Amino acid sequence: MTRLFNDPAVFADEALEGFAAAHRDRVRPVTGGVVRAGATPAGQVAVVVGGGSGHYPAFSGLVGRGLAHGAAVGNVFASPSAGRIRSVARAAHGGAGVLLMYGNYAGDVLHFGQAAERLAADGIESRTFAVTDDISSAAPGESAKRRGIAGDLPVFKAAAAAAEQGLALDEVLAVAERANARTRSFGIAFSGCTLPGADHPLFTVPEARMAVGLGIHGEPGIGEEALPTADEAARLLVTTLLGELPEGIERPEGQRAAVILNGLGSVKYEELFVVYRKVAELLGEAGVDIVEPEVGELVTSFDMAGVSLTLTWLDDDLERLWRAPADTPAYRKGSFAAPGAPGVGSVPAAEYTEHTEGIVLPEASEDSRRAAATVLTVLHTVAGTIDTHAEELGRIDAVAGDGDHGIGMQRGSTAARRAAVDAHAQGAGAGTVLARAADAWADEAGGTSGALWGTILRALGTALGDQDAPTAPRVADGVAQASAGVRRLGGAEVGDKTMVDVLVPFADTLTAATATGSPLTAAWDRAATAAETAAAATAGLLPRRGRARPHAEKSLGTPDAGAHSLALIARAVHGVLLDHH
């Protein structure tokens, strides 16, 4: 378990601060992550990678010549927010565009997609790409739904080496697509991982058993088997991967492959070498030509005891990119012909640090300022409600997910409350208070819930504005816009076992009630009841999206954590409305 920490809430930030201090010759800190110590050469595509903390050396450890130009780092097992990704991308930009790369998780897809939109508004061309190498997380016919795990490294490296060679943005993207299509990973674990400050692991494995096909965020495996010997583990990993060859490769004989045997946190190097000797033997017997293998901790999951095997099937171009030199804090290969010049064309990152202090607030009417006080009370209540139920939410989420929903909601709601207090103290109206809270929630929570709750609060803020006193229909319109925004952003619909199963009936009931003239308090009461009913009903659904999808059967009988937290919040807000009636 993770034993050395201060406040678990700032663990990720303090780890990143220490990492940057230890590697000042290679990286420099910026808002949201790190970039190369030397600026991106003018005219070179910048490859910016990212994801949650807890996976070192991914993602910050891969920043340097021959690999990433920058890394956006989120909280523990939570994607960085769109604002943080944008900050890192702007600092890394060298004038030729940015390729944003990440593992295929809902929160990362949402936040990196939003960051790309913001970069476009800044006049910076960008592309996004999600790695999908984990064969245990979806069937071959649904490969786009697969997670990104240790295959991140060869895919990131191929794209970054292509950028280093001067390829244009769309050409670099094409390289990433080809590398990803030819990369497969599979993992096993013998124990789960424990987050900083937690007193138990996210999942457990029975004695003398192993989890098969696990995720790197504490998601349990898709099955269990008897604890193997090292040779048996190697045979399982190799046989599984050789059972699914990329399109265009009919048999492994005569093929070249980059091979990565990855330790997930607490399997020691000597153990990895014992396993690798058999991996190499089995691949050799299958006729595979191993090209520059890597054995070690490359994408970890805190203290998880487990290993994964990755094969990237190489063609001539991919082999050249795999062999290309790299010089980062955690990954080094070959050598460059000459020391890299700092480069020109990249603006110092400090110019991209966004601050709210000193920014002139939009003018607000007295009616809106009074409403802002109520909004502040609502956000205090929301944060208190989440604090009360955080452990329960984590337990529900851990049934088929990674168990961090309660922690993420705590981070987000606490940050939103803090930002709202500051904005209200400056005399902001209701709309601005909610907008500030929305950005803070998204930034601090990260992950899927951060993106979605940021969308919800921003939609409400836009509907209320800073001039008029809120009315019941206007509040209902804001909730309706929030519902539409969440569905558009996340792609989920009713029946997918997500918060949408609660948000849609809540919004529809509130809209219908206010349309008939019901006062807001009564309308909200009816809507909160509909939310509670819908949340309970998610126990009977099988998840079709998110991290719980590969473990759908396990979640049957348990409500969705996001749906349940939304219902709790809806009822708590009704209590505030009663008090302010």
Side-chain angles (χ1 to χ4, degrees), residues 36 41 44 47 62-69 153-165 320-328 331-333 336 340:
R36 294 184 189 181
Q44 185 176 112
V47 174
L62 303 179
V63 174
R65 285 193 78 192
L67 240 161
H69 297 76
L153 174 61
V155 180
F156 291 172
K157 187 178 186 305
E164 200 84 33
Q165 294 174 6
R320 184 175 64 255
L321 297 169
W322 175 244
R323 291 182 181 274
D327 185 12
T328 79
Y331 185 85
R332 299 171 194 174
K333 175 180 285 193
F336 291 92

Side-chain angles (χ1 to χ4, degrees), residues 317-578:
D317 288 338
L318 290 177
E319 180 173 352
R320 184 175 64 255
L321 297 169
W322 175 244
R323 291 182 181 274
D327 185 12
T328 79
Y331 185 85
R332 299 171 194 174
K333 175 180 285 193
S335 61
F336 291 92
V344 294
S346 183
V347 182
E351 297 191 16
Y352 300 121
T353 303
E354 297 183 18
H355 301 282
T356 56
E357 295 84 353
I359 296 177
V360 177
L361 294 172
E363 291 188 10
S365 68
E366 286 302 317
D367 284 340
S368 187
R369 289 192 181 112
R370 283 193 292 271
T374 301
V375 168
L376 186 57
T377 302
V378 165
L379 291 171
H380 274 295
T381 300
V382 168
T385 299
I386 293 302
D387 283 344
T388 299
H389 296 277
E391 184 174 348
E392 173 195 11
L393 294 173
R395 178 186 58 77
I396 292 173
D397 190 39
V399 171
D402 56 12
D404 69 345
H405 183 70
I407 295 172
M409 290 290 286
Q410 273 187 308
R411 287 196 299 255
S413 59
T414 300
R417 174 177 59 189
R418 186 167 55 245
V421 168
D422 291 342
H424 181 254
Q426 297 175 54
T432 295
V433 167
L434 281 164
R436 292 283 183 85
D439 289 344
W441 193 312
D443 281 347
E444 291 302 317
T448 305
S449 66
L452 299 183
W453 273 98
T455 298
I456 290 170
L457 295 184
R458 184 164 287 280
L460 285 168
T462 300
L464 296 187
D466 291 322
Q467 295 303 314
D468 301 319
T471 63
R474 182 170 290 172
V475 172
D477 180 63
V479 173
Q481 292 302 316
S483 175
V486 165
R487 281 177 286 162
R488 181 175 61 254
L489 184 63
E493 292 295 343
V494 172
D496 286 344
K497 195 164 187 173
T498 70
M499 71 183 300
V500 168
D501 289 296
V502 170
L503 185 55
V504 168
F506 176 74
D508 290 349
T509 303
L510 187 64
T511 298
T514 56
T516 61
S518 292
L520 181 59
T521 302
W524 196 283
D525 183 27
R526 290 172 56 185
T529 299
E532 291 164 336
T533 301
T538 62
L541 298 176
L542 292 175
R544 298 199 293 246
R545 288 183 172 272
R547 294 178 187 169
R549 182 182 52 78
H551 314 286
E553 300 298 332
K554 291 184 178 181
S555 77
L556 195 61
T558 302
D560 176 70
H564 184 53
S565 62
L566 175 55
L568 290 172
I569 288 171
R571 179 53 65 191
V573 171
H574 176 247
V576 176
L577 296 177
L578 282 174

Side-chain angles (χ1 to χ4, degrees), residues 184-258:
R184 303 286 188 274
S185 298
F186 184 71
I188 57 177
F190 318 112
S191 70
C193 55
T194 305
L195 301 185
D199 58 4
H200 59 275
L202 292 176
F203 73 92
T204 58
V205 180
E207 190 72 23
R209 303 284 289 177
M210 70 172 174
V212 177
L214 68 148
I216 59 168
H217 294 94
E219 306 99 321
I222 59 174
E224 286 182 6
E225 295 185 11
L227 188 68
T229 64
D231 284 0
E232 289 169 344
R235 188 173 299 278
L236 172 64
L237 295 170
V238 171
T239 301
T240 302
L241 289 184
L242 292 185
E244 186 190 313
L245 300 176
E247 184 177 353
I249 298 179
E250 296 183 359
R251 58 181 61 87
E253 292 90 348
Q255 299 294 329
R256 294 162 289 171

